[in-house]
Amino acid sequence: MDLPTTPALEADIAARTDVYFKRTRAIVQRFGDARVTYAIFLRRPVVSAPRLMLDWLTTVAAERGTAIEVELMHKEGTWVGAGDPILYVTGSFAHLTDLETLLLQKLGAACVAAHNAYQMCLELPHVAFLAMEARHCAGAEMQELMAYAASVGSEAAKGEGARGFIGNANDATSHYYGANRGGGTMPHALIGYAGSTLRAAEMFHETFPDENLTVLTDYFGQEVTDGLAVCRRFPELAEAGRMAVRLDTHGGRFLEGLDPASSYAVIERHTPGAIRRYRSESELRDLVGTGVSAAAIWRMRDALDEAGFPRVRIVASSGFGVSKCRVMAEARAPIDVIGTGSFIPNSWGETYATADIVSYDGVPRVKVGREFLLRAKR
């Protein structure tokens, strides 16, 4: 992440940190500095994603000419239990106290998002994921944090055999996935401009002939009809495995040709066990409901295969968080790629990282109730 020059950096810290930390700094500078150790943790299980926070801390320490020691208890990409310190930070109280607010901002949400991405990838280990979180982020810094987090969770899942995230949808954060640019083909807006799904596909292929073609098929509510029309228009791309249909059906309606009864029938035909166990309302919706359900994906796969396009891939999007990925896995939904930004935490309160000082000048001391943060004596 780009950082301002020294005057701007200090001004940014002063403007964005909580006032009580600035006042604490002034008091400590007046009455005498102390060497302190902070324990930094989250209250829920996460995957450790501290790099952006540590990079920022290193830059601030260098600008201030102070030494800050970091003891990373859980390296990047490893699982961390609730309340377990991710790291200990030791240094001058006067130099650390006004950094707490900003340090926590750069850690908590990233760790939760990394955990979400990790779980999503493990639920569907044979599916590739494309990160599409940018449009849901509150500005560039959040976009950076979320892209980094997804890459950390993905790498952790890849270590357990999952395909994980193969890229993302914009250039600025593509480097987290080992790429020079983002991926993607067309939004709904292009189809509206073209006037038909087929014409949008033709326009895209004419402009980018060397690119693989992924076609959104839900604009006119004719996912199967329009998807097959594009396949028939570009049989060479379909045969070469260079074509995909993307399902992004609105949650207010069923995919073309489906209704509740036929959705149940599709799942009963392909994975009967998935429908016979107890389901919550949200799980049932993901399985046989409106929008991009498991039944919808199976229906699209059946249509493509029956029409002679077995090599055309299916890209699914729309709300693919951990729970939806789990339902898709149980239904063995034939998804090739999932485009999602749903690793962004749903409950922001779960992302709040906490920092507590656990020693002052080498003397262990922490507020009552946080004794679990004290480091074990060696």
Side-chain angles (χ1 to χ4, degrees):
M1 299 172 71
D2 293 334
L3 292 168
T5 58
T6 302
L9 176 59
E10 290 296 347
D12 193 57
I13 293 171
R16 297 185 182 278
T17 197
D18 292 310
V19 168
Y20 47 80
F21 288 129
K22 292 195 292 183
R23 290 179 172 174
T24 297
R25 187 183 191 200
I27 292 168
V28 170
Q29 289 173 326
R30 179 174 182 176
F31 288 93
D33 201 359
R35 182 175 174 80
V36 298
T37 296
Y38 285 83
I40 303 179
F41 67 99
L42 276 86
R43 296 178 176 85
R44 54 151 286 172
V46 295
V47 166
S48 177
R51 190 197 326 161
L52 297 187
M53 184 204 77
L54 292 175
D55 288 349
W56 184 82
L57 180 61
T58 298
T59 297
V60 174
E63 296 282 12
R64 289 184 170 183
T66 187
I68 297 176
E69 298 174 10
V70 174
E71 185 177 2
L72 188 61
M73 307 304 293
H74 297 277
K75 67 179 183 179
E76 183 179 82
T78 58
W79 185 85
V80 187
D84 192 3
I86 296 174
L87 69 160
Y88 290 97
V89 177
T90 300
S92 156
F93 192 17
H95 281 299
L96 285 174
T97 185
D98 63 336
L99 304 183
E100 180 175 330
T101 301
L102 285 83
L103 289 174
L104 300 183
Q105 288 176 352
K106 300 176 191 300
L107 181 69
C111 290
V112 175
H115 191 264
N116 289 343
Y118 167 74
Q119 288 183 295
M120 289 157 60
C121 295
L122 285 186
E123 292 292 348
L124 292 167
H126 303 300
V127 175
F129 286 77
L130 182 73
M132 300 178 69
E133 80 294 338
R135 64 170 56 198
H136 305 303
C137 291
E141 185 170 13
M142 181 180 176
Q143 180 182 348
E144 194 87 11
L145 284 169
M146 293 297 100
Y148 160 66
S151 72
V152 171
S154 172
E155 287 303 310
K158 287 179 180 178
E160 298 184 36
R163 289 192 66 188
F165 281 78
I166 58 172
N168 74 321
N170 66 84
D171 295 343
T173 57
S174 62
H175 62 95
Y176 289 117
Y177 307 94
N180 295 319
R181 61 187 179 95
T185 53
M186 65 182 66
H188 292 98
L190 179 63
I191 299 171
Y193 165 76
S196 76
T197 302
L198 177 57
R199 183 57 186 145
E202 291 172 339
M203 288 177 171
F204 181 91
H205 185 63
E206 183 177 335
T207 306
F208 303 101
D210 297 327
E211 294 284 341
N212 291 341
L213 177 61
T214 298
V215 184
L216 268 170
T217 57
D218 65 289
Y219 190 96
F220 296 101
Q222 299 181 139
E223 291 88 351
V224 175
T225 300
D226 285 353
L228 293 180
V230 176
C231 290
R232 294 185 181 112
R233 172 65 179 81
F234 297 103
E236 69 288 351
L237 295 180
E239 177 62 27
R242 292 185 52 208
M243 186 174 163
V245 294
R246 177 181 160 202
L247 301 182
D248 195 49
T249 303
H250 186 273
R253 67 172 184 83
F254 284 91
L255 178 130
E256 178 189 12
L258 289 182
D259 56 22
S262 57
S263 294
Y264 273 95
V266 168
I267 295 299
E268 184 69 25
R269 184 166 65 253
H270 286 287
T271 54
I275 205 67
R276 295 175 185 173
R277 51 161 286 194
Y278 170 78
R279 294 287 179 185
S280 68
E281 183 178 346
S282 63
E283 288 176 328
L284 199 60
R285 183 171 58 252
D286 290 338
L287 191 63
V288 295
T290 55
V292 185
S293 66
I297 295 164
W298 271 116
R299 172 71 187 99
M300 192 73 233
R301 185 72 268 162
D302 287 344
L304 290 167
D305 292 348
E306 290 165 5
F309 300 110
R311 300 194 66 189
V312 172
R313 295 167 295 128
I314 294 177
V315 178
S317 55
S318 187
F320 277 80
V322 177
S323 61
K324 187 165 185 173
C325 287
R326 183 173 299 123
V327 170
M328 294 294 164
E330 293 172 354
R332 300 202 299 273
I335 308 169
D336 295 287
V337 180
I338 288 174
T340 181
S342 295
F343 46 83
I344 295 176
N346 279 329
S347 177
W348 208 250
E350 292 187 345
T351 71
Y352 300 158
T354 300
D356 279 321
I357 294 178
V358 295
S359 75
Y360 298 82
D361 289 327
V363 179
R365 189 182 307 139
V366 70
K367 80 174 188 178
V368 173
R370 294 279 171 81
E371 293 84 0
F372 63 89
L373 297 173
L374 294 171
R375 286 187 285 190
K377 294 181 179 180
R378 295 190 175 95

